[in-house]
Amino acid sequence: MRRFPTIAAAAAVCTAALLVAPASPTPPAAGAASSDVPNPAAPENPDNPLAGRAWGVYKGSAEPTWPAYVQATGDTKEQLKRLALTPKAKFFGAWIPDREITRKVADYIASATRDDPDALVQMTLFRMQPWEAEACTRVPTRAESLSYKRFVRRFAAAIGDTHAAVVVQPDGPIARCAPVYSRLVEYAVRTLEAQPSTTTYIEMGSADWFGGDPTDAVATLLADGVAESRGFALDTSHFDGTGAQVRFGAAIVDGLAAAGVPDAHFVIDTSDNGKPFPGTWWREHGDGHPLGWAPQCTTTEEDHCVTLGIPPTTDVASPAWPLTPETRALAAQHVDGYLWIGRPWLFPQGGSWVQQRALDLVATSPYDPLRQGAATP
């Protein structure tokens, strides 16, 4: 039986995790810049639900990179194109009232699939309340739990038969604070997976969050209902290295298989880990600055800073990515895609659009999102 810490003990664990572990995002389709480039499935992963179709690009005001791109001119527009035209996973959370979520999701899907109704749409469900540090000090009220379930049902109904990949509840390890969170995540997974073409991935932090030990991640995923999902997602907010996530994810897959859940797969957020710095932010900036305030790179020589990582792709084992042969083999077998789940162009993390930050991310990244599988020198 899964054992959860007491609320008091969990508070310390969750707070420590939030203050010590950085996370790295993962991009969508094989370096695709628009929804007209299908994504290949690796021979080792032939049933990859993200492969074999284009990935839709949302073009509307609800995603800040798009209006900035539309309004820009000259070289600025050319640079912002690398963000605006890259497939991304938009966050849907409690800032959207329950009564509006159906319309918001429908509008998003209509924009992202307008040129191709068979395109894959990527979304992030971030609706739990309370969450983050507050989740470790109190549990949801009955009204909050009912509202969560209502939101999820309407979210799922709006997806309908759309081909969708949904990342469920970033900072997922916080579910360890109390059993109710895992029960609600499981409800979301079951409700979403009931849609004919929806694939879910339960977010489970980062390799550095767990110190590389998959034990707690496996237990939490089992409680979260991972048996009913495709698997899990890693590194949505920690700037950790992609290779570390591949190896950690593969260890989780093995742990789930040993627990009776075989063939789990995962995705990795690569939106902000072009220069990974796992854990070092806290060791070198232990002055009260939260992780979300980590600065962007402003020159290609800097490190310990945020920049764009591997472009969204299902070509996870490409020699273009800085992975060892052993890690590439694990990725080909277990990783469905590198996705852009995070939003490093916002500051602080999850905050407001900052155009100079966005331009710096493009200028300092070792990758060009608009060139399929291409890493710059």
Side-chain angles (χ1 to χ4, degrees):
M1 176 184 293
R2 166 94 172 107
R3 284 191 239 165
F4 290 84
T6 64
I7 293 294
V13 172
C14 291
T15 301
L18 287 168
L19 295 179
V20 179
S24 74
T26 344
S34 65
S35 62
D36 59 358
V37 181
N39 299 290
E44 299 89 339
N45 185 12
D47 63 343
N48 183 353
L50 309 188
R53 65 182 64 254
W55 289 1
V57 175
Y58 172 77
K59 300 175 181 178
S61 60
E63 203 291 304
T65 65
W66 182 256
Y69 165 67
V70 170
Q71 295 163 18
T73 59
D75 184 62
T76 297
K77 190 178 190 75
E78 184 63 25
Q79 296 306 306
L80 291 178
K81 178 194 297 184
R82 284 157 172 74
L83 297 178
L85 295 183
T86 297
K88 298 176 287 294
K90 174 176 163 48
F91 274 56
F92 291 86
W95 54 90
I96 302 173
D98 293 359
R99 66 181 180 276
E100 295 182 15
I101 188 58
T102 301
R103 177 179 60 82
K104 295 281 189 181
V105 171
D107 289 348
Y108 177 78
I109 289 172
S111 172
T113 62
R114 69 181 65 180
D115 298 323
D116 181 0
D118 290 325
L120 179 79
V121 177
Q122 299 166 64
M123 294 176 278
T124 301
L125 178 63
F126 191 62
R127 176 57 177 79
M128 197 75 72
Q129 285 187 301
W131 199 238
E132 308 298 359
E134 187 185 9
C136 297
T137 63
R138 73 173 183 89
V139 297
T141 64
R142 183 173 184 274
E144 286 171 330
S145 293
L146 290 174
S147 176
Y148 178 86
K149 291 181 177 181
R150 181 168 56 246
F151 187 100
V152 167
R153 288 194 301 271
R154 294 176 180 179
F155 183 89
I159 293 173
D161 61 2
T162 301
H163 295 280
V166 182
V167 174
V168 180
Q169 205 56 39
D171 291 335
I174 291 172
R176 294 176 295 173
C177 290
V180 63
Y181 298 114
S182 285
R183 291 197 295 268
L184 289 171
V185 169
E186 182 179 20
Y187 178 87
V189 168
R190 279 192 284 106
T191 304
L192 289 163
E193 287 284 349
Q195 306 309 303
S197 302
T198 295
T199 302
T200 59
Y201 299 91
I202 302 170
E203 211 280 344
M204 199 39 56
S206 173
D208 68 305
W209 191 321
F210 290 94
D213 184 345
T215 306
D216 276 359
V218 169
T220 306
L221 284 165
L222 290 170
D224 286 352
V226 71
E228 300 186 59
S229 75
R230 173 72 177 175
F232 54 97
L234 293 175
D235 206 28
T236 302
S237 58
H238 276 220
F239 316 117
D240 201 357
T242 300
Q245 306 315 306
V246 172
R247 294 186 292 274
F248 181 59
I252 293 175
V253 169
D254 289 345
L256 291 173
V261 181
D263 301 323
H265 290 76
F266 59 101
V267 295
I268 301 171
D269 177 16
T270 55
S271 62
D272 56 10
N273 66 345
K275 294 191 175 183
F277 52 102
T280 57
W281 173 253
W282 296 110
R283 289 195 296 271
E284 301 188 10
H285 304 278
D287 52 1
H289 289 304
L291 179 64
W293 292 79
Q296 78 275 20
C297 300
T298 56
T299 70
T300 55
E301 290 75 27
E302 288 179 271
D303 55 16
H304 297 182
C305 53
V306 182
T307 192
L308 303 175
I310 297 171
T313 185
T314 56
D315 190 10
V316 294
S318 169
W321 318 139
L323 304 173
T324 65
E326 294 78 12
T327 303
R328 284 196 198 99
L330 291 173
Q333 182 178 1
H334 300 301
V335 179
D336 285 344
Y338 301 141
L339 310 181
W340 278 8
I341 307 166
R343 302 156 296 170
W345 40 86
L346 304 183
F347 190 76
Q349 188 170 297
S352 302
W353 165 258
V354 180
Q355 184 147 304
Q356 188 57 55
R357 182 177 174 91
L359 292 170
D360 287 340
L361 295 174
V362 172
T364 59
S365 175
Y367 308 99
D368 184 346
L370 294 187
R371 294 176 57 205
Q372 184 163 338
T376 56

